Amino acid sequence: MAGYEEHKSIRVIELHMMEKRKYFALVTLSGIGIRTMLYPLTVVKTRIQIQKHKTHYTGTLDGLRKIARYEGFRGLYKGFWVSNLMIVPQTSYILTYEGTRHFLQHHLIWTNNKVKSFIGGGCASLVSQCFVVPIDIVSQHLMMLGKGGDAGAKSAKTHHLGDIHPLNIPDAALQSRFGRTKAVIKAVYKRDGYPGFYKGYFASLAVHCPNSALWWLFYDLYSGK
């Protein structure tokens, strides 16, 4: 019976038990790898959600085909490098979670693991969303940009996205990868100021903070900590 009880509890691996350099390097590589595979679908999803009455794409496959045809392979990865900055909030998330648990235990002498995990999960999401929201806004605007000034006359006319991209950035500003990113940031700031980079921030908190807090709470309940 004693042996059964020993194996019933799941051993929980915490950050202080791991080699930090390997952990963060592997998290970064895996994050970029997964995003590389799924990013074209994210681009299509974003454009389909913004368009009106299937004016540009009738579905996911149609979107992939048209973007590849009129914008080339790179069109499927617009905003990709900006989206990879999500590594920052991913790192801040786990550091905040572990840091909050450590603070509660060693400075407030809070020994209940489930409460620490609940609070830590909520705080981790609160901090990470400070980075996630502006990165998401810029990358989504980049996804919505059409071919740009170097498009052929036929393709530019057929696949013009100006009517569903709200910033109305001139084609001349879209000639290079960094030029596009800079143009989007300037256009968002010009239109809305700094608050423009945090549109939907509180809605994101309302979704992600409770979800994160409850995830870690149930994780502890399941693992028997």
Side-chain angles (χ1 to χ4, degrees), residues 129-157:
Q129 288 302 309
C130 293
F131 301 99
V132 168
V133 173
I135 293 172
D136 209 26
I137 286 175
V138 173
S139 64
Q140 285 183 353
H141 277 298
L142 288 168
M143 292 177 198
M144 297 308 302
L145 295 177
K147 172 78 174 180
D150 59 344
K154 182 178 179 180
S155 63
K157 182 178 180 180

Side-chain angles (χ1 to χ4, degrees), residues 15 19 32 85 99 125 133 161 166 174 195 197-198 200 204-205 209 224:
L15 187 63
E19 188 175 338
I32 292 175
L85 293 175
S125 186
V133 173
L161 298 175
L174 307 177
F197 296 100
Y198 282 92
S204 294
L205 292 183
C209 285

Side-chain angles (χ1 to χ4, degrees), residues 12-18 20 23-24 90-107 113 116-125 127 212 215-216 219-220 225:
V12 177
I13 305 299
E14 298 186 352
L15 187 63
H16 66 84
M17 303 176 184
M18 297 183 288
K20 309 299 186 298
Y23 171 75
F24 288 115
Q90 288 173 357
T91 303
S92 70
Y93 180 92
I94 192 64
L95 290 176
T96 302
Y97 172 74
E98 293 288 349
T100 301
R101 282 173 52 84
H102 183 273
F103 178 83
L104 291 174
Q105 180 170 346
H106 294 281
H107 295 277
N113 278 322
K116 288 190 298 182
S117 294
F118 181 82
I119 296 174
C123 291
S125 186
V127 172
S212 177
W215 193 96
W216 286 107
Y219 174 75
D220 274 2
K225 287 178 66 177

